[in-house]
Amino acid sequence: MGEFVATDNLLGSYLKDRRAKLDPAAFGFAAERRRTPGLRREEVASRANISPTWYTWLEQGRGGAPSADVLDRISRALMLTDVEREHLFLIGLGRPPEVRYRKEEGVTPRLQGVLDALDPSPALIRTAIWDVVAWNRAATVLLTDYGALPPQERNVLRFIFLDPRVRAAQYDWESVARFVVAAFRVDAARAGAAAEVEPLVEELCRKSPEFLAMWRDNDVRTHGEGAKHIKHPVLGLLSFEYSAFQVDGRPDLSMVVYNPATAEDTQKITGLLG
């Protein structure tokens, strides 16, 4: 059997490997004969706008831990994917990078298939600023008909504060509203999406005195798991246990699944969907 060889310089090894896999000509560098494949250290440093000496030290395991800003520059210079960028941060700083907000790009058919397979449990995918970008049939029937709304209006905060039907469906509207505002604040800040949320926050402050008061409270909470109760116009009171999951490879997206809390609720929902 081959012997596993450990290395104390995981960051340097990873940077060398990524650098070697890049085509110099694709980046406008001369394609003359090179002793090793890929980009040179000074070429990566130039693309990352950092000192060639500092980049060399990183590959050699010298100079201490890099900053998050430096790793971000290097990830762009090396054209890393999201998962490669996350790995770079994990081995370079011992933590994943902060979530980066990305304007809505939709979801893959495979991810939509996961949502559809979760019926009769309502399930949806939302962005870091709580725009709903995908949902299943149970979510349409039990929560909101997202497909009937223009994309720019498919926002959870808009539903809670500006849609009377959604408000009436909440068992305890004020508690739900406070929770949504506090969790939204955390997600938007984590994603660095202050510029993207500013127009939404300004609009809601104008149109909803209740939102204005809750926003000024500066409460923060996490949206992990809990219980939710709704008053459905056909089925009456329904109870759910919800869980929120980060989408692998898309840290700017979260999947929220509402599982019926009782067998009776499941039967009611299945009958309605059928």
Side-chain angles (χ1 to χ4, degrees):
M1 289 182 62
E3 182 180 355
F4 174 75
V5 179
T7 176
D8 292 330
N9 185 20
L10 294 175
L11 177 61
S13 297
Y14 188 65
L15 290 175
K16 291 176 187 176
D17 179 76
R18 296 297 95 186
R19 177 166 61 85
K21 288 179 167 59
L22 296 178
D23 178 9
F27 295 92
F29 295 114
E32 76 274 5
R33 179 181 294 273
R34 293 171 178 243
R35 290 183 297 174
T36 57
L39 298 185
R40 298 189 176 104
R41 286 172 174 166
E42 60 268 24
E43 291 168 341
V44 175
S46 174
R47 284 179 48 80
N49 195 26
I50 60 177
S51 160
T53 301
W54 174 230
Y55 180 79
T56 299
W57 284 357
L58 285 179
E59 284 202 1
Q60 294 174 346
R62 303 160 55 193
S67 67
D69 178 62
V70 165
L71 290 185
D72 248 337
R73 294 184 187 190
I74 291 174
S75 70
R76 288 193 294 269
L78 295 174
M79 302 289 289
L80 300 186
T81 64
D82 281 347
V83 67
E84 290 169 342
R85 174 175 175 264
E86 180 181 45
H87 185 68
L88 180 68
F89 270 72
L90 288 172
I91 61 178
L93 290 178
R95 64 167 177 81
E98 298 295 328
V99 176
R100 292 188 300 186
Y101 172 72
R102 289 195 282 182
K103 192 171 179 60
E104 177 189 338
E105 298 175 358
V107 300
T108 63
R110 179 173 296 178
L111 196 52
Q112 181 64 55
V114 172
L115 291 178
D116 295 338
L118 290 170
D119 281 329
S121 296
L124 57 86
I125 293 176
R126 57 171 173 74
T127 69
I129 64 172
W130 290 50
D131 286 335
V132 177
V133 293
W135 55 91
N136 63 4
R137 182 163 173 251
T140 297
V141 173
L142 298 169
L143 301 179
T144 300
D145 187 356
Y146 304 105
L149 298 170
Q152 65 272 17
E153 294 184 12
R154 297 172 190 162
N155 181 273
V156 176
L157 272 76
R158 288 185 183 277
F159 301 147
I160 293 295
F161 287 94
L162 302 182
D163 190 326
R165 292 169 298 179
V166 173
R167 179 168 183 150
Q170 307 308 310
Y171 181 73
D172 182 353
W173 178 86
E174 183 172 353
S175 177
V176 170
R178 287 191 178 279
F179 173 81
V180 166
V181 171
F184 166 83
R185 184 188 296 275
V186 171
D187 283 354
R190 184 183 292 133
E196 287 77 14
V197 304
E198 185 176 352
L200 173 63
V201 170
E202 288 182 351
E203 178 186 358
L204 291 173
C205 284
R206 290 195 313 270
K207 295 181 177 179
S208 172
E210 292 157 313
F211 175 83
L212 175 61
M214 294 180 191
W215 186 252
R216 285 176 173 173
D217 283 342
N218 281 303
D219 288 341
V220 291
R221 302 187 197 180
T222 183
H223 190 214
E225 58 183 26
K228 182 177 180 63
H229 310 281
I230 66 170
K231 295 178 287 185
H232 192 268
V234 176
L235 301 181
L237 183 63
L238 297 172
S239 297
F240 299 92
E241 295 172 343
Y242 71 80
S243 298
F245 310 91
Q246 190 176 80
V247 176
D248 188 33
R250 286 293 303 272
D252 56 313
L253 296 180
S254 295
M255 177 183 292
V256 187
V257 181
Y258 299 89
N259 287 314
T262 68
E264 182 182 359
D265 285 335
T266 300
Q267 291 174 354
K268 287 182 181 179
I269 296 168
T270 301
L272 183 63
L273 294 178

